[in-house]
Amino acid sequence: MNAKLNWLTLSPPQILVLGFAAIIFIGTGLLMLPISTTTGEPLGFTDALFTSTSATCVTGLVVVDTGTTFSSFGEVVIMLLIQIGGLGFMTMATLFALVLKRRISLKDRLILQEAMNQSSMEGIVRLIRRVLLYSLFIEACGAVLLSIRWAFDMPLGRAIYYGVFHAVTMFNNAGFDLFGDFRSLTGYVYDPVVNFVVMFLIVSGGIGFIVLSDLIDYRKQRRLSLHSKVVLSMTAALLAVGFIVILIFEFTNPRTLGSLNWGGKFFGALFQSVTPRTAGANTIDITGLRQATQFFIVILMFIGASPGSTGGGIKTTTFTIMVGAVIAMMRGREDIVMFRYRLAQERVLKALTIALLALLLVLTVSMILSTTEEGDFLEILFETTSAFGTVGLSMGLTPDLTVFGKILISLTMFAGRLGPLTLAYALGPKKGKELYRHPEGKMIIG
């Protein structure tokens, strides 16, 4: 009775933290089974924990090569962890509740509201139904197209298996692959089918289910919400800027785009612009990029995807609000106005809090790893930002991490998937009503 009461008294952020932690440890146990590896030897606890965390937090950083280390059983476990982690364990629990025709309680709706970053519970169950429908439909389409393409390169059964696995991992922005030798999709840099299908899956999973729902309803409503307009415009801007910057910086680099023809340069620059949006797959060698490009990708990974999506980072809306605040301040205006809508001060403070907490987390982890790991600072910063943004891109440092480094990066992936603010709410004291306000003070800034 007391255990049930304690569970009921947990806040939604605390339940989310405990739920994701439980899935990670279940996945760790399954990946440690001898049946999960190709050799039949159990995977070590630290490596299994890292892999389970990376899959559940839809990151894609790996300490062992997925395609050569894990058996079909282990790969299916990873795929299921990615699916559960990408959609959220509460979304999956709601699916079973709907199938069993069980009533969704108020507590469940509050947790779903927190998980989907919604401002209210209104229509939350309807949104979850759409999330499940859209996700399975998009993944199925991607799986069919990839299976058809890879049927030309491998046996049909293997092509279908690869198509399903990579459709799930790319839509959920996880970045795991089965091609072996840590090469990701580098063998398909010229392939238009693989490039466009994978990029579509990544962007679809990264813009968020709220935006997907808005786009599908556009024919009826003939309008988009402010949230969708901001997400779509900022996503398009980041993709365009990323493509141009990477193309310019890497155009003559013989280790990346320099050795490719015009088609390869186009696909290579475009794909590497899309993948830092928390996807983690790559078609050119990340370690071969120039330092300026690598640092630029760090910035893209830090921004990440959009709220209510399968991706991480501080989110496109947070970045947009911060840019809007800077522009408003430079113009001497009090309000941040976007698409003829004024943003509440609370939204601005929340965006600033998320960005600052994320920056402190990335810098602190990078500073600690600089004392425990071998590698230059850019490599460490790149790996840490990739973990926080649940991206999965790597400059090759992850497989060589110490046990301490693996655990710290695992915790960073966990914090990045849940979000620094959700984690702060879960670990901090309960919010109480302010009984009084202090007198206003003045302080010189700038």
Side-chain angles (χ1 to χ4, degrees), residues 63-174:
V63 289
V64 294
D65 185 61
T66 308
T68 56
T69 302
F70 294 102
S71 63
S72 297
F73 176 83
E75 291 167 356
V76 170
V77 169
I78 290 172
M79 183 174 66
L80 291 176
L81 290 174
I82 291 170
Q83 187 72 83
I84 295 171
L87 299 183
F89 78 96
M90 275 306 300
T91 302
M92 302 304 293
T94 304
L95 169 62
F96 289 113
L98 292 173
V99 169
L100 297 174
K101 297 183 179 180
R102 186 179 71 84
R103 181 176 172 273
I104 310 298
S105 67
L106 178 62
K107 183 75 172 181
D108 294 335
R109 293 170 191 266
L110 286 170
I111 301 169
L112 288 170
Q113 177 190 342
E114 179 71 26
M116 299 301 294
N117 285 316
Q118 293 293 285
S119 57
S120 71
M121 291 186 295
E122 184 181 356
I124 192 68
V125 176
R126 183 172 65 253
L127 175 62
I128 295 302
R129 285 197 186 98
R130 289 190 168 195
V131 165
L132 294 166
L133 180 63
Y134 300 160
S135 301
L136 295 177
F137 177 75
I138 293 173
E139 287 175 353
C141 291
V144 169
L145 293 173
L146 290 176
S147 299
I148 293 172
R149 168 60 188 87
W150 283 330
F152 291 95
D153 299 339
M154 58 188 75
L156 181 60
R158 188 180 175 198
I160 294 173
Y161 176 62
Y162 270 45
V164 172
F165 183 94
H166 290 91
V168 171
T169 188
M170 295 308 165
F171 176 76
N172 288 287
N173 283 213

Side-chain angles (χ1 to χ4, degrees), residues 392-415:
L393 290 176
S394 174
M395 289 176 62
L397 180 65
T398 304
D400 299 325
L401 289 171
T402 62
V403 173
F404 176 81
K406 291 175 183 177
I407 294 174
L408 188 56
I409 288 293
S410 296
L411 292 173
T412 305
M413 290 189 288
F414 187 70

Side-chain angles (χ1 to χ4, degrees), residues 338-415:
M338 295 180 184
F339 296 99
R340 299 182 180 179
Y341 284 96
R342 173 178 56 85
L343 297 183
Q345 193 71 17
E346 175 192 357
R347 299 290 173 185
V348 181
L349 293 175
K350 186 175 181 179
L352 179 62
T353 303
I354 290 172
L356 186 58
L357 287 175
L359 183 62
L360 288 173
L361 175 65
V362 169
L363 293 180
T364 301
V365 172
S366 299
M367 185 168 57
I368 295 172
L369 290 178
S370 296
T371 64
T372 63
E373 311 301 319
E374 295 293 333
D376 60 44
F377 185 73
L378 182 57
E379 285 181 335
I380 293 171
L381 178 65
F382 192 99
E383 223 79 4
T384 303
T385 310
S386 180
F388 165 75
T390 68
V391 180
L393 290 176
S394 174
M395 289 176 62
L397 180 65
T398 304
D400 299 325
L401 289 171
T402 62
V403 173
F404 176 81
K406 291 175 183 177
I407 294 174
L408 188 56
I409 288 293
S410 296
L411 292 173
T412 305
M413 290 189 288
F414 187 70

Side-chain angles (χ1 to χ4, degrees), residues 10-82:
L10 291 175
S11 66
Q14 289 172 333
I15 293 175
L16 287 177
V17 170
L18 292 175
F20 270 100
I23 294 168
I24 287 170
F25 282 109
I26 291 172
T28 301
L30 292 173
L31 292 177
M32 290 178 66
L33 297 174
I35 194 177
S36 292
T37 62
T38 54
T39 60
E41 296 181 3
L43 194 66
F45 173 76
T46 305
D47 289 346
L49 176 65
F50 190 100
T51 304
S52 179
T53 304
S54 184
T56 306
C57 298
V58 289
T59 304
L61 287 175
V62 291
V63 289
V64 294
D65 185 61
T66 308
T68 56
T69 302
F70 294 102
S71 63
S72 297
F73 176 83
E75 291 167 356
V76 170
V77 169
I78 290 172
M79 183 174 66
L80 291 176
L81 290 174
I82 291 170

